[in-house]
Amino acid sequence: MPVAEPGDAAPEATAETDNAPETTAETDTEAEAGTKPEAVDGTEREPEAAAAADGTEPEPEVAEAAAGPKTEAAAAADRTEPEAAAADGTEAEPEAAEAAAGPKTEAADRTEAAVDADAGSESVPVPEDGPRPRRRGWAAWSGRVRERRQTWRDAHPTASSALSIGVNVLCAVLVIAALVMPNSLAGLGPAKFLRIPSEGVVAAAVALVLPRRPRIVMAVVFGVVLGALTLVNFMDMGFYEYLGRNFNPVLDWSLLGDAEAYLEDTLGRTATVAISVSAVVLLLLLFVLLALATVRLSNLLARHPGRATRGTLIAGVVWITCSSFGLQGLGGVPLASDRTAVALKARSQQVRDTLRDEAEFRKVAKVDAFGNTPPDQLLTSLRGKDVVFTFIESYGRSAIEDPIEAPGVDNTLAVRTQALAKAGYHAKSGWLTSATYGGSSWLGHSTTMSGLWVSNQQRYRTVMASDHLSITKAFQKTGDFDTVGVMPGIQKGWPEQSYYGLDKVYNAFQLGYRGPKFSWSTMPDQYALQQFQDRVHSKKPADGKSRMSFLILTSSHQPWAPIPKMVPWDQLGDGSVFNAIQKAGNKASDVIADTTKSRQEYGKSVQYSVTALTEWLERYGNDNTVLVFLGDHQPIARVSGNHASRDVPISIVAKDPKVLDAVNSWNWTDGLRPAHNAPVWKMSAFRDKFLAAYGSTPDPKSN
């Protein structure tokens, strides 16, 4: 019988197929060492006999090298192998098997016949050094995908090459676009994307020197970071468009809930859900695509190290040259870009500043010029007066000075000034610079009332938790005023009531409204003012006290569609009269999509709110009524412009001339429309000036 010598053994080969089981098996130690197996009696054994004795299968290559021509029995066994494979749920690859095996010998045939015979008998547990189990699940599926992909490439080499090049180009374009992408809609343009990003050059250089595993990890991390920065860029675009500032990654996540509520009120629940789901899907897709793109590009560099090294060096030299000489491309945009590095540095600084600001502002909030002023020395000039503070939503300088919005608003202010004068009221007006822009109205409210610059949510929380004296609470502290709030925009619990010192607050559900909503606004301002009259103003306070009222109107809130119209005051009822007006109005989606129309409708909404408020004063005011009304912030940038100021108008209206004489030194403009060059104060300065003008004695407090 032929015996396989050590020198006859074929080299070990592993063939990986998608459906066939792995055929690699381990031989015993002596076979691997190149010696012949021995029987117990010291005689040499045939390889197949040794394998049978050890309970393992011989290496196919070794068996084939030792075997002679196939017997008929072995051939018959071969013919049954596909059936056995089918029974196992796998599919044998004939080509792969034939390629892996050489011509079969007689000894190999006998070996296979013996193995088949053993398989038909009692099953024997597979030893640890036996053949590995077939791959199933993900490994088998991925193997099939790789094989089919390779088969397609072999069959279509030209198309495969073109597709590969196209995907590589798309990956490069995606990564470069993410690296140089600006963070504002105004900055978007072709020139901003035709730049050389320094971060890409550095990343390529690092990828070329890293081993495979660290390189893949670096590429994935790089892609995820790019995805995060791209997300922040998109957030910046939205914030600049609506709030006139960039996105703060520490503080502004809480505003997403408000944005969702605004969309639901404006576009409906179905559209809001569709937009939210689409946004999440696109966000996940962005991260996945950028990670895959960076991994693919790093693999491409590793496959062509020579050309990749030369290209990286050339790109680096070009970037340094463009940066050193200030070379510019289209539109005067510098060709050398470090946009991502600068953005990362700016974000890091923003996070540090935000965290540091929290501690510093907490100290500032503890200092109060009127914190220790006794009650009998607060607001002495307004005792006995009926004081009403009112904020008009989004009432900003643009409404009075923008060429599209101003004509209608200015005419309304002029008409209402004359009407109030006929009723015996006079007014003075000026400008305040708001702490917010385009939204977050509560920051404007709290800044005006507290005398602190409340420019973000973190500061707002600090103020609301403090005992820093607000104007409204100063009225409560005197003990001579009932304090009431009417908040048609409040639709949930409002713990801020305590800070503002309001004895009673009427929210959106406590005003008896049965009419339709006007987009975000829960009810028309005219209806809210009539409810204020019926529930509060028409009733005298107990114990001979005066009253201070705090109103926040909402009809001029974006999207300014549909807009309510004035109806006879005695026909307001429960608000059902507004059903026909709401149905006949513009659709919010139509106004949002048209910038010019948004500006026009915004102007109309301000006209409505000013008319409703001043008509209420003309109709229901008395000799002791003092009305202070102002805007909380400018409208969004799409309406007010990208470089608009943050100024809002403020007016004081009263019949008693002493009320206006007290603020003569302010040099405000007579009437409801402040002059262009009227004094401009920071909104946080108003509290101290107002308290001092109306008889309050400063007595500082510091902790």
Side-chain angles (χ1 to χ4, degrees):
M1 178 182 294
V3 179
E5 297 294 337
D8 297 332
E12 182 176 347
T14 302
E16 180 179 340
T17 64
D18 297 330
N19 302 318
E22 295 186 8
T23 58
T24 306
E26 297 180 1
T27 61
D28 56 21
T29 307
E30 292 182 353
E32 291 175 354
T35 61
K36 298 177 183 178
E38 292 183 0
V40 178
D41 57 2
T43 61
E44 295 181 343
R45 295 185 293 174
E46 294 295 331
E48 59 268 33
D54 295 337
T56 61
E57 290 183 26
E59 287 287 334
E61 295 82 0
V62 177
E64 289 167 5
K70 264 192 169 184
T71 65
E72 291 183 4
D78 285 346
R79 288 194 296 272
T80 65
E81 286 179 0
E83 298 174 5
D88 289 338
T90 60
E91 185 177 334
E93 291 288 338
E95 296 82 1
E98 291 172 5
K104 293 193 176 182
T105 64
E106 192 173 27
D109 289 345
R110 289 195 298 271
T111 302
E112 292 174 358
V115 171
D116 287 345
D118 290 340
S121 61
E122 183 180 357
S123 60
V124 180
V126 179
E128 292 183 358
D129 58 348
R132 288 176 291 180
R134 294 181 176 88
R135 294 185 306 160
R136 298 181 184 277
W138 170 259
W141 179 84
S142 62
R144 287 194 295 271
V145 170
R146 285 196 300 271
E147 183 189 4
R148 290 170 184 170
R149 184 172 58 187
Q150 187 60 47
T151 301
W152 184 86
R153 287 176 176 173
D154 294 340
H156 308 86
T158 303
S160 174
S161 178
L163 179 62
S164 179
I165 293 173
V167 172
N168 290 338
V169 171
L170 287 176
C171 289
V173 169
L174 179 62
V175 171
I176 292 175
L179 287 170
V180 300
M181 179 181 180
N183 65 340
S184 68
L185 292 176
L188 288 176
K192 291 296 181 69
F193 294 95
L194 300 177
R195 309 174 71 190
I196 304 171
S198 61
E199 303 85 2
V201 177
V202 173
V206 174
L208 284 169
V209 300
L210 288 178
R212 181 181 181 279
R213 188 179 295 273
R215 171 171 53 79
I216 297 298
V217 172
M218 184 212 75
V220 171
V221 172
F222 188 69
V224 171
V225 171
L226 269 186
L229 286 174
T230 304
L231 169 62
V232 172
N233 284 337
F234 282 127
M235 297 294 288
D236 278 349
M237 291 179 187
F239 270 67
Y240 278 124
E241 185 73 4
Y242 283 88
L243 301 180
R245 62 176 177 84
N246 66 350
F247 172 73
N248 189 316
V250 177
L251 303 176
D252 289 337
W253 296 108
S254 61
L255 298 181
L256 296 181
D258 295 323
E260 183 181 5
Y262 165 70
L263 286 176
E264 185 171 346
D265 291 332
T266 304
L267 303 177
R269 180 63 179 170
T270 302
T272 301
V273 170
I275 292 172
S276 301
V277 171
S278 299
V280 172
V281 171
L282 290 175
L283 176 61
L284 294 176
L285 191 61
L286 171 68
F287 277 87
V288 171
L289 287 179
L290 280 171
L292 292 176
T294 51
V295 170
R296 183 180 181 90
L297 292 176
S298 71
N299 289 337
L300 182 64
L301 294 174
R303 285 198 300 269
H304 308 282
R307 281 182 288 176
T309 301
R310 290 191 296 272
T312 302
L313 289 174
I314 292 172
V317 171
V318 172
W319 189 92
I320 293 173
T321 302
C322 293
S323 178
S324 300
F325 291 96
L327 299 182
Q328 298 178 344
L330 298 175
V333 177
L335 291 174
S337 168
D338 57 355
R339 168 80 181 85
T340 298
V342 171
L344 280 173
K345 182 179 179 181
R347 292 297 171 183
S348 300
Q349 186 62 45
Q350 183 184 36
V351 171
R352 289 195 297 270
D353 290 345
T354 300
L355 298 177
R356 184 167 53 249
D357 177 75
E358 180 179 8
E360 293 177 353
F361 184 73
R362 192 177 292 114
K363 296 177 182 178
V364 171
K366 292 180 179 180
V367 178
D368 189 345
F370 292 88
N372 287 327
T373 300
D376 60 352
Q377 296 180 23
L378 284 171
L379 300 164
T380 57
S381 300
L382 292 177
R383 304 294 173 95
K385 297 299 183 184
D386 171 30
V387 183
V388 181
F389 286 93
T390 304
F391 282 92
I392 295 179
E393 172 66 34
S394 300
Y395 180 34
R397 184 186 280 264
S398 295
I400 294 176
E401 297 185 350
D402 182 86
I404 292 179
E405 304 146 20
V409 175
D410 286 350
N411 180 67
T412 297
L413 292 173
V415 170
R416 298 311 306 156
T417 297
Q418 293 177 1
L420 289 174
K422 289 181 180 180
Y425 291 96
H426 299 281
K428 287 185 177 293
S429 302
W431 301 105
L432 299 179
T433 300
S434 178
T436 184
Y437 181 98
S440 300
S441 303
W442 55 91
L443 302 182
H445 307 158
S446 56
T447 296
T448 304
M449 292 296 151
S450 70
L452 297 169
W453 190 251
V454 188
S455 56
N456 58 52
Q457 193 65 17
Q458 181 174 268
R459 288 188 168 205
Y460 180 76
R461 289 192 294 264
T462 299
V463 171
M464 291 300 110
S466 74
D467 60 354
H468 196 91
L469 187 68
S470 65
I471 294 177
T472 48
K473 196 160 191 173
F475 280 93
Q476 185 190 52
K477 186 177 178 180
T478 64
D480 289 339
F481 289 85
D482 277 353
T483 55
V484 181
V486 177
M487 311 287 177
I490 300 298
Q491 303 180 59
K492 55 185 178 181
W494 198 58
E496 289 89 337
Q497 176 180 349
S498 174
Y499 172 77
Y500 284 113
L502 301 176
D503 301 323
K504 171 68 176 177
V505 171
Y506 293 89
N507 63 28
F509 306 109
Q510 297 172 316
L511 297 174
Y513 185 64
R514 297 294 181 268
K517 291 182 67 175
F518 285 76
S519 292
W520 186 89
S521 179
T522 58
M523 64 191 70
D525 290 346
Q526 185 186 9
Y527 179 88
L529 288 163
Q530 183 63 55
Q531 289 298 306
F532 165 61
Q533 176 63 28
D534 295 343
R535 297 172 184 269
V536 179
H537 191 257
S538 62
K539 301 175 181 179
K540 292 185 178 181
D543 302 327
K545 291 184 178 181
S546 302
R547 179 183 288 117
M548 188 285 304
S549 304
F550 186 32
L551 282 68
I552 299 177
L553 304 181
T554 62
S555 289
S556 51
H557 194 288
Q558 60 180 315
W560 310 296
I563 300 173
K565 297 182 182 299
M566 294 295 294
V567 300
W569 287 85
D570 57 1
Q571 296 180 16
L572 287 170
D574 64 358
S576 300
V577 67
F578 290 103
N579 282 322
I581 297 174
Q582 191 263 359
K583 291 178 181 177
N586 293 320
K587 292 182 178 179
S589 56
D590 295 338
V591 174
I592 289 176
D594 189 329
T595 298
T596 300
K597 199 166 188 177
S598 292
R599 296 169 72 182
Q600 293 170 342
E601 297 305 302
Y602 160 68
K604 293 177 183 178
S605 72
V606 172
Q607 294 175 52
Y608 168 79
S609 293
V610 170
T611 299
L613 178 60
T614 53
E615 278 195 12
W616 169 85
L617 178 62
E618 183 184 3
R619 184 180 179 89
Y620 296 114
N622 55 56
D623 292 345
N624 289 319
T625 300
V626 177
L627 173 64
V628 181
F629 74 95
L630 67 156
D632 46 17
H633 55 71
Q634 281 267 55
I636 60 175
R638 188 162 50 84
V639 170
S640 59
N642 291 321
H643 304 290
S645 73
R646 294 191 172 207
D647 297 344
V648 299
I650 180 171
S651 301
I652 298 179
V653 189
K655 279 188 176 181
D656 186 351
K658 294 180 181 179
V659 173
L660 297 183
D661 290 344
V663 297
N664 276 335
S665 62
W666 294 0
N667 296 319
W668 282 12
T669 306
D670 290 335
L672 297 179
R673 185 192 186 283
H676 176 75
N677 60 350
V680 181
W681 305 335
K682 290 187 69 174
M683 189 174 269
S684 56
F686 178 74
R687 187 205 73 155
D688 287 2
K689 290 180 178 293
F690 182 86
L691 292 177
Y694 291 107
S696 301
T697 304
D699 191 348
K701 172 185 177 181
S702 60
N703 293 329

